[in-house]
Amino acid sequence: MKALKILVTGANGFLGRSLLGLEGEAEWVGCGRRVDAGDVLYHRVELTDRAAVAALVAETNPDWVINTAAMTNVDRCEEDVSAARWANVEIVENLAAACGDTGVGLMQVSTDYVFDGENGPYAEEAGTKPLSCYGQLKLESERLLQGLERAVVVRTLWLYGYVPETGANFTTWLLQAVSGGESVRVFDDQWGNPTYVYDLARALVGLCREEARGLFHMGGATFMTRHELALELARFFDLDDGLIQPVRTQEAGLLAVRPLRSGLRTDALEAVLGRRPLTFSEGLQRLARDPHFCRDFPEFAR
């Protein structure tokens, strides 16, 4: 069977690099603003330049483009709406135009922040009601794909794991803080289903392989609060969970409103892929055996 050729935008980010790390799953091409993406063929491109994006898609001629480029700092989106629109909407407009002209499939990664967090977990047909600039712009980006013949939107949430050279994330921050004896506060009123980043990456490739169309939700199989997540993470790695204190979201003084009782139902995705997402415990077991994690955090290796 001929390998899929997939162009990944935002190739140096957390999700982008996790996709490029799936050796043998596809023929990978990365693109973004930085100069490299490891051993993968990489193109440096300004994704807000429509002509440059069109030329890149024509030159690389992928089967699919998976767009992971985004501004995901939700408070920063409130502070700089222009930059947030540039990253979360204008790039998608350019990709949609290029893919529409060439017949290349386009997959847009979206978020549970399109919901208000009143009645989660949510199925794909649930009504949207974003509470923040970030959620509004991601919902707008979803709608840009509606006229394309080959298009998929995948909403996801609460990514965790370890991907080298992508900076700190909640997983590594918590492990380093608690192992160092630092007390941390974690929200106990935000609900969701944490998603192991490589599980999401494999699901995205699977949807491309199945030539899926439309809207899908992808989240882990465990529904929990962020505080419960932190406690389980600490206990799994034999750390002092007494250092993890609960805090209410409203006490934090955040700029962007968060959906509190969120979460995503994954029935549609499971029907297409023939498997369920990993539970949080299963994801932690994968993390503890990941060779890159074991190399860079040997004290937590299993």
Side-chain angles (χ1 to χ4, degrees):
M1 180 184 298
K2 176 182 176 292
L4 283 176
K5 186 176 187 181
I6 300 178
L7 172 64
V8 178
T9 63
N12 293 290
F14 190 48
L15 177 57
R17 274 197 178 267
S18 72
L19 282 161
L20 300 183
L22 298 181
E23 297 180 8
E25 295 280 343
E27 178 186 347
W28 298 107
V29 181
C31 73
R33 285 176 144 188
R34 282 167 53 183
V35 296
D36 73 90
D39 297 329
V40 173
L41 179 64
Y42 185 86
H43 295 262
R44 189 171 185 177
V45 65
E46 178 52 71
L47 293 171
T48 56
D49 183 334
R50 182 166 294 200
V53 171
L56 175 66
V57 172
E59 177 187 349
T60 57
N61 190 30
D63 297 296
W64 284 87
V65 174
I66 300 180
N67 180 39
T68 72
M71 181 189 290
T72 58
N73 184 320
V74 296
D75 292 320
R76 187 179 164 209
C77 287
E78 299 290 331
E79 294 176 318
D80 193 342
V81 176
S82 177
R85 173 166 289 278
W86 170 87
N88 294 324
V89 175
E90 292 180 21
I91 285 174
V92 184
E93 287 179 332
N94 293 342
L95 290 169
C99 292
D101 289 343
T102 57
V104 170
L106 176 60
M107 179 173 289
Q108 168 67 1
V109 179
S110 190
T111 173
D112 66 314
Y113 274 57
V114 301
F115 298 111
D116 62 11
E118 294 288 336
N119 297 295
Y122 294 95
E124 288 82 356
E125 62 270 16
T128 55
K129 187 180 178 182
L131 303 176
S132 63
C133 174
Y134 173 68
Q136 292 166 358
L137 293 176
K138 293 298 280 188
L139 183 59
E140 187 175 337
S141 76
E142 292 182 17
R143 293 168 176 163
L144 294 172
L145 275 67
Q146 289 178 352
L148 299 182
E149 180 181 350
R150 299 175 64 217
V152 176
V153 171
V154 180
R155 295 173 181 150
T156 191
L157 75 170
W158 293 20
L159 300 189
Y160 70 94
Y162 178 67
V163 181
E165 300 178 37
T166 57
N169 61 67
F170 183 82
T171 305
T172 55
W173 164 75
L174 187 79
L175 290 176
Q176 290 176 313
V178 177
S179 65
E182 180 182 342
S183 179
V184 299
R185 300 199 304 167
V186 181
F187 299 120
D188 67 350
D189 58 346
Q190 292 184 22
W191 290 81
N193 38 327
T195 311
Y196 186 52
V197 66
Y198 286 107
D199 199 26
L200 171 61
R202 289 187 175 87
L204 299 182
V205 176
L207 290 172
C208 292
R209 191 176 292 119
E210 295 295 330
E211 280 293 318
R213 302 286 191 276
L215 175 63
F216 295 90
H217 286 175
M218 171 60 187
T222 305
F223 187 59
M224 64 200 317
T225 68
R226 290 188 185 273
H227 184 249
E228 289 170 339
L229 181 160
L231 290 176
E232 187 167 336
L233 180 63
R235 290 165 184 164
F236 182 87
F237 287 104
D238 300 320
L239 299 176
D240 182 4
D241 62 6
L243 293 171
I244 302 170
Q245 302 302 314
V247 63
R248 310 296 281 184
T249 300
Q250 66 180 8
E251 297 175 30
L254 302 171
L255 285 177
V257 180
R258 268 66 169 174
L260 296 183
R261 191 171 183 84
S262 190
L264 299 173
R265 298 184 60 88
T266 60
D267 307 72
L269 182 89
E270 293 175 39
V272 172
L273 298 184
R275 67 173 180 87
R276 64 161 176 77
L278 297 176
T279 65
F280 188 56
S281 176
E282 290 168 339
L284 291 181
Q285 292 169 29
R286 300 282 183 94
L287 171 64
R289 297 193 300 266
D290 180 276
H292 299 295
F293 180 75
C294 294
R295 178 197 65 199
D296 294 341
F297 297 91
E299 66 272 32
F300 301 121
R302 292 291 178 89

